[in-house]
Amino acid sequence: MLAASAVLLLAAAQHAPGLKPVSAFAGIADPAARSVAIFEEMGKVIRHPRCINCHPRSDRPNQGEDGHPHMPAVTRGADGHGAPGLECAACHGPRNVVLTNGTGSVPGHPDWRLAPRSMAWEGKSLGEICRQISDPARNGGKSLARIAQHNAHDGLVGWAWNPGPGRAPAPGSQAQFGALTRAWIASGARCPG
Amino acid sequence: MATDFTLNGKPARFEGDPETPLLWVLRDHLDLTGTKYGCGIAQCGACTVHLDGKNRRSCVTPVSTVAGKHVTTIEGVTGKEAAAVQQAWLAVNVPQCGFCQSGQVMSAIGLLRVKPRPSDADIDNAMAGNICRCATYVRIRQAIHDAAHALEG
C-alpha cells in the first residue's frame, strides 16, 4: 500500500497537473496531426501569463494572471532590458524577492527582460505563434534544434516554473516542455491552422 | 551573518538577516534617512539609490545582493551630473512637499549618466517609476532638461 502510494506520488511529481507527457500523443498515428496536437499542448505554456506577459504586442510588458499593464509603466528600451534610467534591473534583481508586506514577490532573474518585438505573442493565435517560433527571421536566428535547447534549458524560460510567491507557475515542468518541444520537432514541427 | 559593501565610497557592514531590504539597513541601522520609504513594493521610487552606478529600488533589494558592490545614497552622490541636477532642482524650485524628491533626484542623475541629452520621452520613460503625489512632474522634467543643458555648456 505504501509502495503504491509512493509510486502515485512520484508519478504526480513527474507529470504535474496541466501538461500531458509526450507519451500521451503516441496514439495519434498521423505525424502531422500528432505534431499539431503536441504544439497545442505546448501552447498551454506559451500562452500562460508567466510567459506571454513578457511577449507583449506593445513596448510595455503586462503582469498578473489577467495580463494587466505592468506598473510602473515601464518601456522595453533598445534591447528589451528597459529604458535608460529605468532598466528592468532597477526593480528586478537576480532572483525572486518576497515583499516585506506579505503581498507576494518581485520576480527576478539575472537577465530579466522583454522578448523582442519580433516575438510578440499577445493577441496572436497559437498557429501564428507557432509559425513565428519556427521562423529564424523572427526568432532571433534560431534553428529548431536551438529552439528545443532554449525551451528545455534557458534560465529565463525556466523562471516560469519558479515564479515566486503570489504567482501561479506555468503548467508541468520545464523538462516536460522541453520534451514536448523535441517531440514536436521530431514529428515535423507542424503548426495549428 | 555579515554583509560587506561600499556605501558612499566607504566600507560598510551589516550584521543581520541577509534578506533584510537595503532600505531598512540604510535607514534603521546606518542612520541614512535621506532615502525614503514610500510603498515598500517597488511602485513609487522614493527609495531609489545607485547600485554600482545604476538606479535601484532599495526596498526590494535584499542586503545580501549588494555584497561587494557600491551603494550610493542621496547623502553621498557626487559628480558633474549630481551637481547639475542639484543646481537645476534649486533653480526651478522643484519640490513641493519633498518626500519623493531624493528618489526623483537619484533617478534623474542615473538617467543623465546614461542619456546626457534626454528627450521628453526619454525623461518620461526613465522617471515613470518615480511617483510624486504633489504632481511636480512638469518641474522635474524642466529641471532635468536644464541640468542636461548645463552639462553641455
Side-chain angles (χ1 to χ4, degrees), chain A:
Chain A
M1 184 66 184
L2 277 176
S5 299
V7 168
L8 284 173
L9 282 172
L10 186 60
Q14 287 174 336
H15 305 305
L19 206 56
K20 294 177 188 167
V22 171
S23 59
F25 301 90
I28 304 175
D30 174 31
R34 188 165 67 245
S35 193
V36 168
I38 292 170
F39 193 86
E40 285 172 345
E41 191 67 14
M42 291 167 60
K44 291 179 182 174
V45 173
I46 290 166
R47 304 181 92 173
H48 191 274
R50 296 295 78 73
C51 299
I52 207 164
N53 278 350
C54 284
H55 285 259
R57 73 181 98 199
S58 73
D59 287 339
R60 298 178 187 274
N62 297 308
Q63 65 184 149
E65 307 308 314
D66 59 352
H68 62 268
H70 184 284
M71 284 300 293
V74 296
T75 52
R76 70 167 63 245
D79 63 356
H81 288 88
L86 187 53
E87 290 85 359
C88 304
C91 300
H92 299 280
R95 58 178 169 83
N96 302 328
V97 171
V98 176
L99 296 172
T100 54
N101 67 3
T103 59
S105 58
V106 177
H109 181 274
D111 190 31
W112 194 260
R113 62 185 161 80
L114 275 186
R117 287 189 186 92
S118 64
M119 287 299 286
W121 294 346
E122 185 189 12
K124 287 191 163 66
S125 71
L126 198 56
E128 288 172 317
I129 294 172
C130 178
R131 288 182 281 281
Q132 195 178 24
I133 287 173
S134 312
D135 180 2
R138 290 184 282 172
N139 73 11
K142 290 184 177 67
S143 64
L144 288 174
R146 281 188 61 203
I147 293 289
Q149 276 287 111
H150 178 76
N151 287 1
H153 300 294
D154 181 83
L156 194 50
V157 173
W159 172 88
W161 289 274
N162 178 32
R167 222 168 267 109
S173 67
Q174 186 171 19
Q176 276 187 299
F177 186 52
L180 285 168
T181 307
R182 289 191 295 274
W184 168 64
I185 293 167
S187 55
R190 297 298 185 94
C191 291

Side-chain angles (χ1 to χ4, degrees), chain B:
Chain B
M1 183 176 172
T3 302
D4 293 299
F5 57 104
T6 302
L7 178 60
N8 295 332
K10 296 176 182 172
R13 166 170 285 203
F14 173 69
E15 295 193 8
D17 185 347
E19 288 300 300
T20 306
L22 175 61
L23 178 60
W24 278 228
V25 174
L26 295 173
R27 290 183 56 84
D28 298 345
H29 296 271
L30 302 174
D31 295 326
L32 293 179
T33 55
T35 306
K36 301 303 183 190
Y37 175 95
C39 67
I41 55 172
Q43 290 292 302
C44 78
C47 68
T48 304
V49 299
H50 293 164
L51 181 60
D52 285 343
K54 307 280 280 185
N55 292 337
R56 176 74 199 172
R57 308 298 190 240
S58 61
C59 72
V60 291
T61 304
V63 69
S64 60
T65 65
V66 308
K69 297 185 177 180
H70 290 259
V71 175
T72 307
T73 68
I74 190 75
E75 292 91 347
V77 68
T78 56
K80 61 181 182 178
E81 292 87 2
V85 166
Q86 185 178 24
Q87 284 303 312
W89 242 250
L90 286 168
V92 178
N93 198 14
V94 172
Q96 190 160 315
C97 88
F99 190 83
C100 70
Q101 294 294 319
S102 64
Q104 304 280 2
V105 165
M106 295 301 282
S107 286
I109 294 167
L111 166 63
L112 290 171
R113 283 181 179 163
V114 294
K115 197 86 181 179
R117 281 300 309 273
S119 64
D120 279 352
D122 292 330
I123 294 171
D124 291 349
N125 288 337
M127 305 299 288
N130 287 85
I131 307 300
C132 174
R133 66 183 178 184
C134 306
T136 62
Y137 302 111
V138 174
R139 295 202 294 273
I140 288 169
R141 185 197 275 174
Q142 183 61 54
I144 293 173
H145 278 309
D146 290 354
H149 288 307
L151 287 166
E152 268 193 331

